[in-house]
Amino acid sequence: MFKYQKVFNEVSFRHIVESQETVLVKHLQELNIDLNADILFLGVRNGKTASTIITIREQNRVNNLTYSLEGSPCEQVLNDGVCCFPKDTAKLFPDDKTLLDLKVEGYIGSSIKNEAGDPIGILVALFFKPKSELPIKLKIFDIFSNFICTYIQKCHLDYQTNSHLSLFKEVEVISKTGAWEYHIETKQVFWTDEVYSICQFSKDSKLTTKQVKCFFAEHERKRVNDVVKSVLTNGKCFEDDFEFIDAKGIEKWLKVTCKPLMNDKGRITSVYGAFEDITKEKTLLLQESERSQKLDNILNNINEAVITICRSGVIQHVNQAALSIFQYSANELIGQDISKLMPEPYAFQHHHYMQSYENTGVPKIIGVGRQLTAKRKNGDIFQIELAITKSFSLGEVQYIGVIRDISERILAQDTIYNIAYTDKLTQLKNNQWFEKECKDLLLLASIKSQCIYALMLNIDKMSQFNLQFGFEQGDRVLKQIAVNLGIAIGNDFNIYRYGGDSFVILYNKVFTKDDFLKLNLNFIKTTLLDPQNYILNVGDNDIVLTASLGAATFEPDRQSYESINHILGHALRSAKKHAPFGFHHILEEGVEEFDRFVQLHKLLKSITESEELSLAFQPQYTNTGKINSFETLIRWNSSVYGWVSPAEFIPLAEETDAIIKIGDWVLENACMAIQELMHLGLKTSISVNISAKQIVDPNFSDKLIDLVTALRISADMLILELTETALIVDIALVKKVMNKLSQYGFRFSIDDFGTGYSSLAYLKELPISELKIDKYFINDIEDSEKHYVIVDTIIHMAHALGVNCVAEGVETKEQYEYLKKNHCSIYQGYYFSKPVDIQTWREMIAIESNSHKNRPDFS
């Protein structure tokens, strides 16, 4: 719509530079007096290339040129800001043909950014001879670059303002709205042309505030004075309608707005606002108001509720009795769908019924009357008698419903059922009813020394569905799924809405352990996880959702109602690991496993203070048999459970913030190990695995930098290993953190490469120094003479990215020989060394520090 965009882009930049060519050439020539550059140019970005707009050679204008950004210093400038290369520039960027042709030795460049901070242009100075003093002039160059940015942004704003002023005048005429401003100190008033038009006053004559006040109807003038006085005194904005008589005696209605403008000290310096001619709208509203008032007076004297809807079911009118019955205000109902006043399933079926009547003309309620359920604003379900008649108004079909509240005679049972035990969304029994019936079954099972069986079902990725389609559609599909599951489970099971996107299913009989084997559990699982239950229509599209199902058998002498909920939740989490349509049934040993799960969760909360954690170190070797680095591995020797595998406790820690505490502990101890290496004069690196929660923690970068600074160790001796899964948690945030730490000296490794979600697009952009081939692929190597495509590809990819390739899990000579033949960089695995404890590690690094001792040879 607007010629000049709010934030200027490359096209706007070129236009402005060309239009301001004379001024900019002069400024560039003045800059070059200080720089003494052989070539000085101002260019614009154009995708993967850049074009010069103004080029100066020896203070003279020369022809412009276009060159590729890829592999050029300008590409680095656009990404990083000001860059300076005092010498050997052409050699540093061998892919830049332009630099080679010009034999450029020195280079200094700065990006030109728009208001949003996006680089769209570039300022560059080229020198044919090395310039050692260039870094000193970098500040001058940067200041001038910022001046150019500011100057171009000012020009852009001037062009944009002029364009918008023309549009503003057109809008004034179309909307019949004039603007005004009054300066308090000078007592000057300014009016736009449309104000003169509204007042029917000649533009050649001076229009004063006194004259304008006289145009307001006599009974309005005091209110006008009061309004202005209030705005000036209290500094509050004002908007209201006034009667107005213009210079030709024509009566009008004006909408007047008045707002104060304050200086930095909070003092009002001026007031401004607008006059909008709303005569036509006001006249129509007054006529309609009179008509509506008469109708309302009639309907509000009727005891029964009266609601009028259009043929699409939208409420057009309600009387006072209807508002009292349904407990809404008129504004909350008018314009809403009538189904707002209906409980399910009637609300869901209403439009189908209306469509059926429109198509067939066969009424089921219209002209008949019947007893139905309705819903108040607070969600209460109550009984009504409803009679509907069809009418026409201004050629449009309307339906008038007369409603009588009959809930008082059946209030007790409705209140108990609908408020206490029914889920308002799905109309299923709720979790309170589940608690009641579950406890009843537990009591019966206890008396008979028998068992009960329950399941918990959760819709997979329901939160993602809500984000994509909205919560209203989410509620609608939950209702439909509830209906589908209710039909599917039959009479032997009861289904309950447990909350959110979860349901609980309870077998309504008790049984012995022997009888349990006779239950067709596979049939129950298949029925509840039947994909047909989750095929739903959203808009005009069929959407397929999935679910996960956890189940368990419970003995009343071992489980309470509360523990049943926890165990079902654990079963469901286990089922989620196999989603979609995951299923997990907890047997007796599974209950014991759950008890261990709960206890481990508790222990993990204070694990870093327990002195039960330790580090193991697995060496990583080069092709020459030299130790290149160590990977740290965490170990937990629990006083309760003994040695607990990281594969068991790390996933539990990742469910809570315990993983951050554990991660901090590992980093602190790894950094102290680096301190020991530095004392021995070794530059051997140590790598640490970083979890997804750690890398996105807001304090992660600062804590790590503070730790390295406090211990006075080299940041480049610490390698941070990230899995591909950790990368995709929030790729933009992770990239930002990695870039910040990379600038400080830290290195990054991508762990388990090839098993996750790697994208070459972002791998190329990330500051990584190595890729680790997952053991999963190394295990495939059985013969050093064969070809293993995936392993080869990862090695070649690492070489292409210019990073080390680390093979983990190397266990055989054949694997090592194959990897070595294909130019893998670094190796770790049992073929070389198992992980060692810290004492053994200290012995190893002591040997490593003695240069006269033989190093291991695995060739």
Side-chain angles (χ1 to χ4, degrees):
M1 177 179 178
F2 298 107
K3 182 177 179 182
Y4 298 100
Q5 301 296 321
K6 184 175 181 181
V7 176
F8 68 91
N9 54 22
E10 288 84 354
V11 176
S12 303
F13 176 80
R14 177 182 285 277
H15 173 76
I16 293 168
V17 171
E18 289 175 350
S19 66
Q20 298 293 318
E21 180 178 339
T22 303
V23 175
L24 291 174
V25 167
K26 182 179 178 182
H27 286 310
L28 288 172
Q29 289 172 337
E30 290 173 353
L31 172 65
N32 207 27
I33 293 174
D34 291 328
L35 293 178
N36 196 24
D38 296 290
I39 295 176
L40 181 65
F41 67 79
L42 191 62
V44 63
R45 186 180 206 161
N46 185 22
K48 295 184 179 180
T49 64
S51 300
T52 64
I53 307 174
I54 298 176
T55 308
I56 294 175
R57 185 163 185 169
E58 298 177 356
Q59 297 298 73
N60 297 315
R61 286 290 306 278
V62 296
N63 295 334
N64 291 312
L65 57 93
T66 298
Y67 60 96
S68 173
L69 286 171
E70 189 171 354
S72 74
C74 292
E75 180 183 32
Q76 187 170 336
V77 169
L78 288 169
N79 290 334
D80 301 331
V82 179
C83 287
C84 176
F85 305 96
K87 64 177 182 178
D88 298 329
T89 306
K91 292 181 181 179
L92 290 173
F93 298 90
D95 295 331
D96 192 330
K97 188 175 182 303
T98 303
L99 295 180
L100 291 172
D101 292 343
L102 294 173
K103 298 181 180 179
V104 173
E105 287 292 327
Y107 174 100
I108 184 170
S110 178
S111 60
I112 305 296
K113 299 180 180 180
N114 61 15
E115 300 98 311
D118 300 320
I120 59 174
I122 189 166
L123 177 68
V124 173
L126 302 178
F127 303 86
F128 297 157
K129 294 181 179 180
K131 294 286 182 178
S132 59
E133 70 275 18
L134 277 190
I136 301 174
K137 296 185 177 183
L138 190 63
K139 185 66 176 178
I140 297 173
F141 196 85
D142 189 34
I143 292 172
F144 184 82
S145 171
N146 289 331
F147 161 73
I148 292 294
C149 286
T150 304
Y151 181 83
I152 291 175
Q153 287 174 8
K154 174 187 173 298
C155 294
H156 175 75
L157 183 61
D158 289 342
Y159 296 150
Q160 185 186 58
T161 300
N162 291 333
S163 176
H164 287 183
L165 279 175
S166 298
L167 179 63
F168 175 76
K169 290 182 179 180
E170 290 296 323
V171 171
E172 267 199 322
V173 175
I174 295 170
S175 65
K176 294 184 178 181
T177 303
W180 58 272
E181 185 175 10
Y182 176 75
H183 290 264
I184 296 172
E185 187 173 341
T186 63
K187 296 185 178 179
Q188 286 185 304
V189 64
F190 301 90
W191 317 95
T192 62
D193 291 348
E194 191 60 24
V195 174
Y196 284 86
S197 178
I198 290 172
C199 295
Q200 293 289 307
F201 202 86
S202 173
K203 295 179 185 177
D204 298 329
S205 304
K206 185 177 180 180
L207 184 60
T208 66
T209 55
K210 184 176 181 180
Q211 289 171 317
V212 171
K213 286 180 181 179
C214 290
F215 290 135
F216 285 90
E218 187 172 353
H219 64 276
E220 298 275 34
R221 293 171 191 170
K222 183 180 183 304
R223 191 157 67 99
V224 171
N225 287 330
D226 291 343
V227 165
V228 174
K229 183 178 179 181
S230 175
V231 172
L232 291 174
T233 304
N234 303 322
K236 293 185 178 179
C237 301
F238 174 82
E239 178 180 309
D240 206 348
D241 301 340
F242 293 82
E243 291 183 55
F244 189 87
I245 303 171
D246 66 24
K248 294 184 178 180
I250 300 172
E251 295 181 357
K252 297 180 178 179
W253 278 93
L254 295 189
K255 181 183 290 296
V256 179
T257 59
C258 186
K259 298 182 180 181
L261 188 64
M262 300 181 182
N263 59 20
D264 295 338
K265 297 179 180 178
R267 180 186 171 193
I268 299 173
T269 58
S270 62
V271 290
Y272 66 100
F275 291 164
E276 181 184 358
D277 187 347
I278 57 169
T279 306
K280 288 184 179 179
E281 296 87 340
K282 195 73 173 181
T283 302
L284 291 173
L285 285 172
L286 289 173
Q287 291 174 352
E288 182 62 25
S289 178
E290 290 176 4
R291 179 175 174 273
S292 297
Q293 189 63 46
K294 291 177 182 178
L295 181 60
D296 285 343
N297 288 337
I298 295 171
L299 293 176
N300 286 333
N301 284 300
I302 299 175
N303 291 328
E304 279 77 25
V306 179
I307 299 179
T308 303
I309 64 172
C310 65
R311 69 193 309 162
S312 60
V314 176
I315 299 172
Q316 305 291 307
H317 182 271
V318 289
N319 71 346
Q320 192 59 47
L323 299 177
S324 299
I325 289 175
F326 290 97
Q327 300 175 355
Y328 285 94
S329 68
N331 290 336
E332 291 174 318
L333 284 184
I334 293 175
Q336 300 294 312
D337 195 284
I338 190 65
S339 61
K340 185 184 183 80
L341 305 179
M342 302 175 186
E344 295 298 348
Y346 306 106
F348 180 75
Q349 296 170 348
H350 176 259
H351 286 288
H352 174 72
Y353 165 74
M354 293 292 292
Q355 189 63 46
S356 174
Y357 173 72
E358 291 287 340
N359 293 337
T360 65
V362 179
K364 293 185 178 179
I365 298 179
I366 297 173
V368 179
R370 61 185 292 185
Q371 181 177 327
L372 293 170
T373 53
K375 185 174 67 173
R376 303 188 205 275
K377 179 181 178 179
N378 64 5
D380 287 354
I381 310 300
F382 66 106
Q383 297 295 314
I384 62 169
E385 285 180 349
L386 172 64
I388 299 178
T389 58
K390 184 177 181 180
S391 68
F392 294 84
S393 176
L394 301 176
E396 294 291 332
V397 174
Q398 289 186 337
Y399 298 95
I400 301 173
V402 179
I403 301 165
R404 177 177 295 169
D405 182 358
I406 59 170
S407 59
E408 288 184 0
R409 53 187 157 174
I410 48 175
L411 179 61
Q413 65 184 47
D414 278 352
T415 301
I416 293 172
Y417 182 83
N418 293 297
I419 295 180
Y421 298 118
T422 303
D423 174 59
K424 294 177 183 178
L425 177 64
T426 62
Q427 299 303 298
L428 292 176
K429 296 176 180 179
N430 59 19
N431 58 345
Q432 283 86 2
W433 192 270
F434 167 67
E435 179 179 354
K436 177 183 179 301
E437 294 195 335
C438 184
K439 287 180 177 179
D440 289 344
L441 269 181
L442 278 173
L443 179 59
L444 180 61
S446 177
I447 294 171
K448 294 186 174 184
S449 298
Q450 294 182 336
C451 305
I452 70 171
Y453 179 61
L455 310 96
M456 183 176 286
L457 182 144
N458 178 263
I459 311 302
D460 296 327
K461 299 181 180 179
M462 192 65 202
S463 58
Q464 294 182 18
F465 178 92
N466 287 333
L467 287 173
Q468 183 176 359
F469 296 101
F471 286 96
E472 185 177 347
Q473 290 286 9
D475 287 347
R476 194 172 74 79
V477 300
L478 279 174
K479 292 181 211 173
Q480 188 57 51
I481 290 172
V483 172
N484 296 344
L485 294 177
I487 295 171
I489 60 173
N491 296 326
D492 289 338
F493 289 85
N494 295 331
I495 183 169
Y496 311 83
R497 172 84 183 282
Y498 194 69
D501 48 4
S502 296
F503 301 88
V504 177
I505 299 94
L506 181 65
Y507 184 49
N508 57 27
K509 300 176 183 178
V510 296
F511 51 87
T512 64
K513 289 185 178 180
D514 292 336
D515 290 336
F516 177 72
L517 299 175
K518 299 175 184 177
L519 287 175
N520 192 343
L521 296 182
N522 189 55
F523 173 76
I524 297 168
K525 166 197 166 186
T526 304
T527 299
L528 290 171
L529 296 182
D530 185 346
Q532 292 298 319
N533 294 332
Y534 308 97
I535 299 176
L536 307 149
N537 184 266
V538 177
D540 296 326
N541 302 313
D542 285 338
I543 300 295
V544 180
L545 294 177
T546 64
S548 297
L549 184 65
T553 304
F554 303 101
E555 300 176 48
D557 59 338
R558 298 184 60 184
Q559 280 91 37
S560 64
Y561 167 77
E562 288 73 21
S563 65
I564 287 175
N565 285 286
H566 292 307
I567 292 171
L568 285 177
H570 181 60
L572 182 61
R573 283 189 291 272
S574 299
K576 285 283 186 181
K577 296 176 183 177
H578 308 289
F581 296 117
F583 175 74
H584 184 76
H585 180 258
I586 292 183
L587 301 172
E588 283 188 41
E589 57 269 28
V591 174
E592 295 174 1
E593 173 196 332
F594 172 73
D595 292 338
R596 174 183 171 95
F597 166 87
V598 172
Q599 188 62 24
L600 287 177
H601 251 300
K602 292 180 180 178
L603 294 173
L604 283 171
K605 291 180 180 178
S606 57
I607 185 66
T608 53
E609 292 86 45
S610 66
E611 298 186 357
E612 295 177 356
L613 293 178
S614 61
L615 285 185
F617 299 82
Q618 186 163 29
Q620 298 175 334
Y621 293 89
T622 65
N623 276 312
T624 62
K626 178 182 177 182
I627 293 178
N628 176 78
S629 50
F630 293 92
E631 179 180 3
T632 58
L633 304 171
I634 192 167
R635 297 292 183 258
W636 180 17
N637 188 6
S638 169
S639 59
V640 179
Y641 294 105
W643 289 101
V644 183
S645 167
E648 181 180 9
F649 75 82
I650 291 297
L652 297 183
E654 287 179 337
E655 293 180 6
T656 66
D657 288 335
I659 191 64
I660 295 179
K661 290 184 179 180
I662 293 173
D664 290 344
W665 184 92
V666 173
L667 281 169
E668 184 177 341
N669 283 270
C671 287
M672 288 191 289
I674 291 176
Q675 205 175 42
E676 293 188 44
L677 290 168
M678 292 179 68
H679 285 319
L680 292 174
L682 297 175
K683 288 291 289 181
T684 309
S685 303
I686 287 184
S687 61
V688 175
N689 289 284
I690 304 298
S691 75
K693 274 195 174 183
Q694 269 183 288
I695 193 71
V696 298
D697 178 50
N699 300 317
F700 175 74
S701 299
D702 293 337
K703 285 193 297 186
L704 184 54
I705 292 171
D706 290 344
L707 175 62
V708 169
T709 304
L711 295 178
R712 298 186 179 183
I713 63 174
S714 299
D716 62 352
M717 292 179 68
L718 182 63
I719 300 175
L720 305 176
E721 290 193 13
L722 296 170
T723 64
E724 298 181 59
T725 305
L727 287 177
I728 65 164
V729 169
D730 186 338
I731 185 63
L733 176 58
V734 172
K735 180 181 176 182
K736 181 178 179 182
V737 173
M738 290 177 69
N739 284 332
K740 177 181 178 180
L741 292 175
S742 176
Q743 291 173 4
Y744 199 81
F746 295 94
R747 292 184 287 160
F748 291 89
S749 173
I750 304 302
D751 198 8
D752 300 339
F753 183 75
T755 63
Y757 307 86
S758 284
S759 164
L760 292 179
Y762 69 69
L763 277 182
K764 183 180 178 183
E765 297 176 2
L766 297 176
I768 60 174
S769 59
E770 65 181 34
L771 295 181
K772 296 189 76 173
I773 309 175
D774 188 72
K775 185 178 184 299
Y776 175 83
F777 302 115
I778 301 300
N779 288 344
D780 289 340
I781 301 174
E782 298 176 350
D783 187 337
S784 62
E785 298 303 317
K786 290 184 180 180
H787 287 287
Y788 300 92
V789 177
I790 295 179
V791 174
D792 292 353
T793 301
I794 297 175
I795 295 174
H796 294 157
M797 190 182 301
H799 291 164
L801 291 170
V803 301
N804 288 330
C805 183
V806 181
E808 60 180 359
V810 180
E811 297 182 351
T812 67
K813 183 179 181 181
E814 289 77 15
Q815 291 171 350
Y816 169 63
E817 287 177 348
Y818 181 84
L819 293 164
K820 182 179 180 182
K821 181 179 68 176
N822 285 277
H823 309 294
C824 184
S825 312
I826 302 168
Y827 313 85
Q828 75 177 67
Y830 283 14
Y831 178 67
F832 300 91
S833 171
K834 292 183 178 182
V836 298
D837 59 26
I838 192 164
Q839 186 57 43
T840 307
W841 174 77
R842 285 181 174 136
E843 295 170 3
M844 292 179 73
I845 62 174
I847 294 172
E848 189 70 16
S849 68
N850 285 326
S851 58
H852 66 278
K853 291 197 173 183
N854 292 326
R855 302 186 183 279
D857 186 4
F858 300 97
S859 58

